[in-house]
Amino acid sequence: MIAKMRPQDILMPVAAGLCCKPGGFHIDPVRPVERALITHGHSDHARAGHGAVLATQETLDIMRLRYGENFAGSTQAIAYGETIRLGDVDVTFHPAGHVLGSAQIAVNHGATRIVASGDYKDAPDPTCEPFEIVPCDVFITEATFGLPVFRHGSASNEIAKLLSSVALFPERAHLVGAYSLGKAQRVIAEIRAAGYDAPIYMHGAMEKITRYYESRGINLGDLRLAKGMKKADLAGTITLAPPTAITDIWTRRFPDPVAAFASGWMRVRARARQKGIELPLVISDHADWDGLCATIGATGAGEVWVTHGQEDALVHWCQSKGLKARPLDLVGYGEEGENDEAVQESEAAS
Amino acid sequence: MNRFAHLLDRLAYEPGRNNKLRLITNYFREVPDPDRGWALAALTGALSFASVKPGVLRTLGLERMDPVLFAYSYDYVGALAETVSLVWPSSPGAADENLPLSAVVETLQRTSRSDAPAILAALLDRLDVPRRFAVIKLVTGGLRIGVSARLVKQALANLGKVEVGEIEELWHGLGAREKDLIVATWPSPDAQVDAEAKGSTEWLIRLVGDTRAAKNELGIAPGAQLKAYVRGASAVTSGRINQSFTALRKLARLDVVTDTDAPQGASIQIVVDEATYVLPLEGVIDIEAERARLTKSLQAAQKEAKSLEGRLANPAFVEKAKPEAVEKARADHAEKVAESERLEAALARLG
């Protein structure tokens, strides 16, 4: 019989990330550790150099694509729903609906269950397993869009905006900024779902990941590289590119480009203007405010730990609903993939 | 009003003038009456409602949500109208997808200052984020989307394939109507044309154009209001004059007199169709000085025309000079001949 531990003794924030002492591992550590459990492949959560890595097969594959064969001392794949004993705790991975292979990690110690959700969204996404509610005592939630101003709406409406713009400006090229892992593939899949079957072009930086998605059975239609295309032939086309590329010198190869950007940040006008975006598309891989509130309620957790993002507002909301809540001071997690960009640059160069 | 809200959104981010034009023209082409009329009014600043002050808007927001969350949100977004449009609580299915812009405008127009907050709140309950933003911008006054009234008129001109000048002439030139023009059915560029309406409009444009040209030739200020005595007008023309009395006053700056003969003396005579319009010049310009100026210009033009004619009659020039030079001489000649004819006509008008 194990004595009941306080949740903060089971999982605690340390400099390297979220540490589970009774299990002997860290979740999404930002510094090299002996044993790491990784929720998903975005580079602020999945880093190279750990001793042993436990993650879904897709997350391991994505890390290998990004960091090379020797990204960790050893790896172990875990399926959704599978339970593994580590030290004094049992861990189970559940779909997080964020990107391909993304998982929430449930840590069970005795009768206490803590769920570290990583990044998640409860909205439909044709390119990954849907989010699953995991009942728990303590729910660790992200708060990227933890303000009531963030309401994402349906992705298909935003795609309709993009396609009507393509129809209205057939002599211009539409460049859609989207993070290389997850967002780009989801946007392509949504464009296909809207019935657009012309070739879609992409920036070289997202080719590897996109081809990997296709190899996992996700049909994205006719995809081509924008590189080497004649300028005039790109009129009336759609090209996906990393967010940094759509307003830089790379765009000169396109005829009168329309800069679009698919992101939850596009809900706020000032953010769109700052980035010089003409066609903001509110499509996010994170839960919006309503999604965060609904999910917290549905887990039945009596205690909520809030990390990366707008912690204060979400903590306030939890407390107003009678839930115990506190911000979890973890450092090193960026806004939606912003830390990804360094990786994307190096991929583009290679 | 989905389309209107999306148009505002798109215009707010689009920097290019031609692209803005395309967006507006396309909106006018695809959106039915009377919504596009109201959109036209809104875009050109012609709509005004019992305005809602920022304080009222803020109160409406605060009544509906936790004040701490409202404060965090306002702090993050930085603009009140946008904050309220984003944080306004919406229950799924409450949004009325098909609420037309006309219904929104008509509701707001019937609203007095005292019941504006309640009516605005009820309206916002039925809308989604982009439409809430559009409505709030309408009632707080000023869309501020970087679109001038002139640009909107240009978009209208592009839609109807006419010159923007014609739109601007008609903009202020229409007389009193039973209903606001904004809610009328718009013409279709491909529709069956009413021959009389078209004839009448063309007649008006010719008369206005000729009057302006004649004033210009004689150095009369475009804004000068002149009398015009009509001679020999048919029944059709008389009818048109009666109908267009106000338009002629505003566009051609003519007060048309049909029942009296023109007084003796110098005048401008303009012939459109069978009728002659006599515009007395007594007191308008110094007739002798004008006649002298015209005569001098006429002589100069005739001299140049003659010299060019001589050059063109010379086979050595026509055959040996560069083809461009010959071509230019021909064009110049034609222009000088035309100018001479114009000046002769102007002199003849002075009597």
Side-chain angles (χ1 to χ4, degrees), chain A residues 145 147-154 158 263-264 266-268 282-284 286-291 293, chain B residues 64-65 73 83-91 128-130 132:
Chain A
F145 293 115
L147 274 179
V149 300
F150 294 109
R151 295 204 150 95
H152 300 330
S154 94
E158 301 300 295
S263 164
M266 293 298 104
R267 186 46 101 194
V268 175
V282 187
I283 301 177
S284 177
H286 295 265
D288 66 0
W289 174 258
D290 296 327
C293 295
Chain B
R64 279 162 182 78
M65 72 184 294
S73 299
T83 307
V84 173
S85 75
L86 290 170
V87 301
W88 195 267
S90 48
S91 43
D128 56 8
V129 174
R132 287 201 290 260

Side-chain angles (χ1 to χ4, degrees), chain B residues 280-335:
Chain B
L281 292 173
E282 202 59 53
V284 176
I285 52 169
D286 180 340
I287 294 165
E288 278 320 305
E290 192 56 31
R291 185 175 286 133
R293 186 185 72 82
L294 286 172
T295 310
K296 204 171 154 196
S297 304
L298 175 62
Q299 282 165 352
Q302 281 171 335
K303 194 175 157 196
E304 277 191 57
K306 201 166 175 202
S307 136
L308 285 162
E309 199 179 315
R311 205 186 307 171
L312 287 165
N314 179 358
F317 171 73
V318 178
E319 282 158 27
K320 288 184 188 155
K322 284 186 186 160
E324 302 94 270
V326 178
E327 202 44 54
K328 185 172 184 310
R330 285 215 174 93
D332 287 350
H333 178 251
E335 193 187 304

Side-chain angles (χ1 to χ4, degrees), chain B residues 10 15 51 71 127 133 140 191 201 226 236 275 304 322 327:
Chain B
R10 192 69 207 267
S51 76
L127 301 173
F133 183 71
T140 50
T201 307
L226 303 186
V236 172
E304 277 191 57
K322 284 186 186 160
E327 202 44 54

Side-chain angles (χ1 to χ4, degrees), chain A residues 1-344:
Chain A
M1 185 69 201
I2 304 161
K4 192 170 162 70
M5 284 177 91
R6 295 182 306 165
Q8 56 269 42
D9 296 326
I10 301 172
L11 273 178
M12 65 182 71
V14 298
L18 202 54
C19 174
C20 178
K21 273 204 176 141
F25 60 84
H26 290 74
I27 295 175
D28 291 352
V30 294
R31 297 182 188 170
V33 298
E34 207 171 305
R35 177 179 284 276
L37 274 56
I38 306 292
T39 58
H40 67 282
H42 278 145
S43 56
D44 49 340
H45 292 258
R47 296 175 192 249
H50 304 306
V53 169
L54 177 67
T56 61
Q57 185 61 54
E58 290 84 355
T59 299
L60 292 175
D61 290 343
I62 289 164
M63 291 176 79
R64 193 168 291 116
L65 278 175
R66 297 191 137 183
Y67 303 125
E69 278 302 323
N70 303 316
F71 71 93
S74 67
T75 62
Q76 183 182 352
I78 181 168
Y80 291 132
E82 189 184 336
T83 301
I84 288 180
R85 181 86 182 165
L86 291 170
D88 291 336
V89 304
D90 289 318
V91 297
T92 315
F93 280 48
H94 301 272
H98 177 57
V99 297
L100 185 60
S102 67
Q104 314 171 68
I105 301 174
V107 178
N108 296 278
H109 182 273
T112 305
R113 182 190 283 162
I114 306 177
V115 169
S117 58
D119 290 340
Y120 67 94
K121 72 168 174 291
D122 53 346
D125 179 342
T127 64
C128 68
E129 286 286 312
F131 177 80
E132 183 184 311
I133 295 282
V134 186
C136 56
D137 304 295
V138 178
F139 186 61
I140 306 178
T141 181
E142 58 143 324
T144 307
F145 293 115
L147 274 179
V149 300
F150 294 109
R151 295 204 150 95
H152 300 330
S154 94
S156 60
N157 280 350
E158 301 300 295
I159 296 297
K161 258 165 50 180
L162 170 66
L163 294 180
S164 76
S165 180
V166 172
L168 185 59
F169 295 105
E171 78 288 6
R172 304 178 75 186
H174 282 68
L175 302 186
V176 183
Y179 300 112
S180 307
L181 167 55
K183 184 68 65 60
Q185 296 76 26
R186 178 177 174 211
V187 168
I188 295 170
E190 297 280 2
I191 293 172
R192 295 304 186 205
Y196 182 91
D197 54 9
I200 293 175
Y201 295 85
M202 58 182 171
H203 188 281
M206 46 183 55
E207 189 187 14
K208 268 196 291 188
I209 294 284
T210 306
R211 297 295 177 207
Y212 174 70
Y213 265 65
E214 289 182 305
S215 78
R216 300 299 292 188
I218 292 156
N219 185 9
L220 299 174
D222 185 355
L223 297 182
R224 302 177 188 182
L225 284 181
K227 196 174 180 177
M229 288 289 297
K230 275 195 207 132
K231 191 169 185 169
D233 293 342
L234 288 165
T237 63
I238 299 173
T239 300
L240 276 285
T244 45
I246 57 163
T247 48
D248 78 5
I249 197 165
W250 178 76
T251 62
R252 290 197 190 163
R253 69 180 70 196
F254 294 92
D256 192 13
V258 179
F261 186 18
S263 164
W265 298 114
M266 293 298 104
R267 186 46 101 194
V268 175
R269 283 156 193 271
R271 295 288 291 238
R273 291 222 182 79
Q274 269 165 18
K275 289 183 186 279
I277 301 303
E278 279 166 68
L279 186 58
L281 303 173
V282 187
I283 301 177
S284 177
D285 283 336
H286 295 265
D288 66 0
W289 174 258
D290 296 327
L292 293 169
C293 295
T295 303
I296 290 170
T299 61
E303 186 168 345
V304 180
W305 299 348
V306 185
T307 89
H308 54 292
Q310 312 284 337
E311 294 98 340
D312 297 345
L314 197 56
V315 166
H316 174 84
W317 179 86
C318 290
Q319 288 167 347
S320 75
K321 298 288 164 193
L323 300 173
K324 235 171 113 181
R326 65 180 174 106
L328 204 58
D329 296 316
L330 292 174
V331 289
Y333 301 100
E335 290 180 347
E336 188 167 8
E338 261 171 27
N339 292 344
D340 264 10
E341 285 163 16
V343 177
Q344 287 161 358

Side-chain angles (χ1 to χ4, degrees), chain B residues 31-48:
Chain B
V31 171
D33 300 316
D35 272 23
R36 56 182 175 177
W38 288 122
L40 171 62
L43 290 171
T44 52
L47 280 185
S48 66

Side-chain angles (χ1 to χ4, degrees), chain B residues 242-260:
Chain B
N242 281 334
Q243 224 172 24
S244 313
F245 192 79
T246 317
L248 285 170
R249 234 188 106 77
K250 287 192 171 169
L251 300 177
R253 302 269 165 194
L254 288 183
D255 287 321
V256 184
V257 182
T258 46
D259 48 2
T260 348

